[in-house]
């Protein structure tokens, strides 16, 4: 899988955080990488799990950063798809030195086009632009 495809898989796994307790997420990781529609190589499955776990570990810090940068919006008010996309991109911008900020934002906008509603790409881009400054 290329990085865009891997990022999409990480997004889909991270989305499950909204519907499962932290205790259930280890089982969700296993189910996601072994029983889903997509067949993963061991390397890809390990990459997805590793990056998901790093993001999940930083979620309180990521959410605090999002809440600090957005005016009139906070993580409690955001749609779950857009919030998950923004969380993934903020992690890449703030904590993953292998992903340039522009790439993280562009990839997030592409995820929003694919999984979000009509206004999602603009919303995601607007929020993430505050992290690029």
């Amino acid at each position: 899988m290329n990085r865009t495809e891997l990022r999409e898989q990480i997004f889909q796994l991270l989305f499950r955080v909204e519907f499962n307790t932290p205790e259930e997420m280890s089982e969700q990781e296993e189910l996601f990488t072994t029983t889903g529609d997509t067949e993963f190589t061991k390397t890809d499955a390990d990459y997805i799990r590793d990056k998901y776990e790093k993001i999940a570990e930083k979620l309180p810090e990521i959410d605090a950063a999002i809440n600090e940068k957005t005016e009139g919006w906070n993580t409690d008010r955001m749609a779950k798809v857009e919030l998950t996309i923004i969380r993934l991109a903020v992690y890449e911008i703030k904590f993953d030195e292998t992903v340039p900020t522009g790439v993280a934002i562009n990839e997030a906008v592409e995820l929003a086009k694919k999984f979000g509603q009509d206004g999602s790409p603009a919303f995601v881009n607007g929020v993430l632009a505050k992290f690029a400054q």
Side-chain angles (χ1 to χ4, degrees), residues 73-117:
W73 286 93
N74 65 31
T75 54
D76 293 335
R77 287 191 59 213
M78 291 180 191
K80 293 184 184 341
V81 169
E82 288 79 5
L83 175 59
T84 303
I85 293 167
I86 292 167
R87 283 173 167 168
L88 174 56
V90 169
Y91 172 82
E92 290 182 336
I93 292 166
K94 290 181 63 85
F95 304 107
D96 190 341
E97 294 178 6
T98 66
V99 180
T101 297
V103 171
I105 293 172
N106 185 57
E107 291 285 329
V109 170
E110 292 303 315
L111 284 172
K113 287 177 184 175
K114 185 170 184 174
F115 294 101
Q117 299 176 13

